[in-house]
Amino acid sequence: MREHPAEGELQALLDRELPNARALVLRAHLLRCAACRARADAARETAALVDALLRRTTPKVDSDSAWERLVVRSGGRAATARPIVRRWTPVAAVALAAAAFIATLTRGASWPGARADPLALVREAQAHPASSLLRDACCSDHDGGDRPDDGLLTLSSVGEKVTVVIVYEDVDRSGTFTHGDIVRYVSTIPHGTPVAHTVR
Amino acid sequence: MNIRRLFERHYPSLVWYLHGRLGDHDLAEDLAQEAFVRLLDKPLRAPDAWLYVVAGNLARDARRSEGRRARHLSIASAHERVAAAADPAPGADAAMCTAEEAALVRDTLAMLPERDAALLVMRADDVSYREIAAAIGVAPTSIGPLLARAQQRFIRALGSRAERGRNDARASG
């Protein structure tokens, strides 16, 4: 990478909150750049100090008696309630079908199913960062499930040619595309001509 | 995660966060409980950061209605505590958490913008960037920069308070 990472990105790296591909790029940069290594060390020390101060000064609270008070205050509901996990809605199915239809119109090799192993494509892109650009935007609600738990991963080559688009559900909530995530949609044009239409 | 586990994980930090905003432990406990009651009315898939947002709103309402200020202690007494924390007694265990240290950290947090304080407490409470981002309405990629700035502000505020405390201690001594 040519540019030095900003403080916020270093912070996200330290907190393991960067997408894997970006974290790899930054770590490689830190190996080569002593100045950024020093900045990362300083950021790590600052974060450790703040976290340690906040954690060790958190007062000890009698959680058991506090819980009993909550049960009484809630009329007993706290003792039985569980946070509801919202389910995938029919609206999401319609949205996904629409997305698949639109993608088909763009002549790509659309896929929910086979044809390509998206993880293999990602690994290949990570192995050859000079020849391709991997972007992992996570997370928003791309599948209409009413939850910001979907990622949009794109792979591009020189000349702004987008060759792979993956919509995935970030099951492990890692904030990046990893093994075990659900692939909702894949469109690949590994050997064809990428689409470049003007919207009319 | 069921409500009990969620409660055990976040309740102490929520109380501590609210205590910092309000300067009143009993009121902090009351509002932390209220945040959980509201969660029962609105079960969520990822409620961790949401609890902090609701707690912050409750604290703001409480301050408004009671005419409170976040900084509840007088500057003079705060400086005394800062001086005590800055110059620990010989032989004192530096790793031991003291009431003075807790007060210093809490008062320093109270001096920060509300979002900064919430970010720092949520991060220390291991709430993920994604949840924090969803709760405060920014992109997950914004959390790193916001957090880095909040940490810098916290360290600067802590340093200036400690320095002020030392100066006041010298002046009075």
Side-chain angles (χ1 to χ4, degrees):
Chain A
M1 65 188 288
R2 292 175 194 164
E3 295 175 358
H4 301 288
E7 302 299 326
E9 205 167 28
L10 285 177
Q11 182 65 46
L13 179 71
L14 297 175
D15 288 337
R16 297 167 187 263
E17 293 274 4
L18 274 187
N20 287 345
R22 185 61 185 162
L24 278 175
V25 171
L26 255 64
R27 287 200 187 98
H29 177 79
L30 291 180
L31 286 174
R32 294 192 307 271
C33 179
C36 285
R37 219 161 41 237
R39 289 170 57 221
D41 288 342
R44 186 179 295 112
E45 282 179 22
T46 300
L49 173 63
V50 173
D51 275 359
L53 277 172
L54 295 181
R55 284 176 179 154
R56 78 184 194 183
T57 54
T58 302
K60 299 288 176 284
V61 174
D62 184 350
S63 291
D64 287 340
S65 66
W67 171 254
E68 286 167 16
R69 289 202 305 280
L70 180 67
V71 170
V72 172
R73 183 173 179 154
S74 66
R77 285 184 300 149
T80 55
R82 288 170 183 273
I84 292 174
V85 177
R86 290 184 194 167
R87 299 196 179 282
W88 205 53
T89 64
V91 175
V94 174
L96 187 59
F101 177 67
I102 292 166
T104 303
L105 293 180
T106 61
R107 297 181 304 199
S110 303
W111 174 93
R115 286 286 294 245
D117 175 359
L119 267 177
L121 291 170
V122 171
R123 287 194 196 104
E124 188 179 327
Q126 287 171 339
H128 303 93
S131 59
S132 57
L133 178 66
L134 191 65
R135 283 281 184 262
D136 187 351
C138 187
C139 298
S140 301
D141 177 23
H142 292 304
D143 63 8
D146 201 23
R147 293 193 306 267
D149 61 356
D150 309 311
L152 183 65
L153 194 139
T154 58
L155 186 60
S156 309
S157 56
V158 177
E160 299 177 39
K161 294 173 180 170
V162 180
T163 52
V164 179
V165 177
I166 299 173
V167 177
Y168 66 92
E169 185 156 324
D170 185 27
V171 174
D172 59 2
R173 300 168 68 192
S174 62
T176 185
F177 185 53
T178 51
H179 184 74
D181 288 347
I182 297 172
V183 175
R184 295 289 186 204
Y185 180 79
V186 176
S187 180
T188 59
I189 314 176
H191 304 297
T193 304
V195 176
H197 292 309
T198 301
V199 177
R200 297 180 192 282
Chain B
M1 183 183 286
N2 66 30
I3 290 282
R4 177 72 190 257
R5 285 177 59 192
L6 196 72
F7 185 83
E8 287 174 351
R9 180 181 162 193
H10 293 301
Y11 184 75
S13 298
L14 270 178
V15 170
W16 189 82
Y17 168 61
L18 287 165
H19 190 172
R21 307 311 300 175
L22 298 163
D24 183 328
H25 184 82
D26 291 340
L27 182 57
E29 285 224 39
D30 185 52
L31 296 187
Q33 295 244 337
E34 179 60 24
F36 276 95
V37 169
R38 293 192 181 191
L39 178 63
L40 293 172
D41 295 331
K42 188 181 180 180
L44 300 168
R45 179 184 169 87
D48 308 62
W50 182 89
L51 283 167
Y52 282 93
V53 172
V54 170
N57 291 341
L58 290 170
R60 211 164 26 247
D61 291 346
R63 274 206 304 262
R64 211 175 284 139
S65 63
E66 295 178 24
R68 292 172 186 273
R69 297 195 61 197
R71 287 164 60 193
H72 65 291
L73 298 169
S74 71
I75 296 298
S77 67
H79 286 180
E80 283 172 15
R81 295 196 315 280
V82 170
D87 297 312
D93 183 358
M96 195 173 74
C97 169
T98 64
E100 288 81 8
E101 185 184 37
L104 172 61
V105 171
R106 196 175 61 231
D107 291 349
T108 303
L109 265 187
M111 297 294 291
L112 298 180
E114 191 172 318
R115 186 167 77 173
D116 283 0
L119 273 170
L120 294 177
V121 176
M122 282 192 269
R123 183 67 199 92
D125 206 13
D126 290 328
V127 180
S128 73
Y129 277 24
R130 274 188 56 202
E131 283 195 52
I132 297 172
I136 67 176
V138 299
T141 50
S142 298
I143 298 299
L146 290 172
L147 196 54
R149 279 197 288 273
Q151 287 174 340
Q152 292 296 336
R153 288 192 190 111
F154 177 84
I155 293 294
R156 275 200 300 274
L158 192 72
S160 68
R161 293 209 67 166
E163 182 64 27
R164 232 172 16 186
R166 279 195 207 95
N167 291 340
D168 289 355
R170 277 193 213 104
S172 63

